[in-house]
Amino acid sequence: MMGHKLNVWAQDPSVRNAGLTRTLFVSEPVFNGPRNKNVIVRGVKTVYPTDRYNNYLYDPRNHPEEFDSTHCFAVVHQVLEMYERVIQRMGGGGIRWVWGDQPINLWPYAGDDRNAYYSRNERALKFFYFYDIIKGGTVYTCRSYDVVAHETGHAVLDSLKPNWIKTGQRPQTAALHESFGDVTNLLSLMSKMDMCQLIIADTMGDLHTKSFLSSVAEEFGRSMGRKDGLRNADNDLSLSQISDLESHSLSRVFTGAVYDIIADIYDATRDDTKFDPSETLFRSAKKVTQIFTYAIITAPDSDATFRDVALNMLTATKDKSIKNIIWQQFYRREVLTRKDAKVKIPKVITRIPSGHPDDEDDPTVCACCFI
């Protein structure tokens, strides 16, 4: 059977309670680089397998550059694989980058800057590094699972909704792009049973306990003096509590709602006499991944709002208890109203976009930065 094992950072080098590293399995062919049909690593030395079984099991202490390259590649692959599987279960044909069949260029060491970004015009995911003036030492954004998954989320969403990234869209459309990145990070972490087990152990089964799951980009956040990471997914923010329309700030409302929906489904279905809590979490996240992906695909092609996606999430499931959880979370955050609980929307799967090469080098297309 084809496949490769690749070592990755569990979260980032500062998060000890998640374990420093873990091993992912990639079932598709991986070539020297590393690279495959969807992703190619750039700007670093070529990475070769570490054994005769074509695995990439580097140690971050002895081979940091090779490890970081492998880590970035594996996380991008895992995110893409997660969404392709759910879209194929919905009857779609998977995901194609917005520019077509050429692989995305992945730059682990893109340069000295306090950021990371996805760029359609460059066909790239770029991760920078910077000096931490608070604790000292260099912070490599490529070493954060959260940052890599977030930026990959931007690339996936751009393939599904290519107009959302353009200038001139509503503030909530830009915020949905940022929220999609953070939600992608959450869902991809919980798409693997080993991480669900770590999450349950870290939180003692209470998802509202501060943990590496809810804290987004811990090392990055600490370099800016923030104790809970750059953003906190487990929040109670409503629209009226956001004083500005900056996309990252506004995105926290939608991300918080999705986090609480996962937590509420987990709490409502948990029965430790029948299933291990980590399995219940895995199942809950899988349900939300399906609902969330459907809601994004069926949302308007331009100027989408939080309400548009929230209403689509309501129609994506027949389970009345899950519908109620979704409505309650978006209602308390002022995204939905009482009338929306009775709104009937036709459940129609739209065509999955297959790339928009005419949009390359479009000056109206923005790069999606992490901060």
Side-chain angles (χ1 to χ4, degrees), residues 36-67:
N36 64 8
K37 63 181 181 180
N38 296 312
V39 185
I40 182 167
V41 176
R42 302 282 193 186
V44 293
K45 68 178 73 170
T46 301
V47 177
Y48 298 93
T50 56
D51 58 35
R52 63 189 179 93
Y53 301 106
N54 290 323
N55 296 314
Y56 293 79
L57 302 177
Y58 285 97
D59 186 293
R61 293 165 296 184
N62 300 325
H63 299 92
E65 185 172 325
E66 292 90 340
F67 186 94

Side-chain angles (χ1 to χ4, degrees), residues 91-123:
I95 293 172
R96 185 180 180 214
W97 299 127
V98 72
W99 50 81
D101 293 330
Q102 290 185 330
I104 196 166
N105 298 299
L106 179 58
W107 296 78
Y109 301 155
D112 189 350
D113 192 12
R114 189 185 290 267
N115 219 328
Y117 68 75
Y118 158 70
S119 170
R120 181 197 297 182
N121 290 338
E122 296 179 71
R123 300 178 181 179

Side-chain angles (χ1 to χ4, degrees), residues 265 269 282-292 319 322:
I265 294 174
T269 57
F282 176 83
R283 290 167 178 260
S284 301
K286 187 176 180 180
K287 288 179 182 178
V288 174
T289 303
Q290 185 91 10
I291 291 168
F292 177 68
D319 189 314
I322 293 179

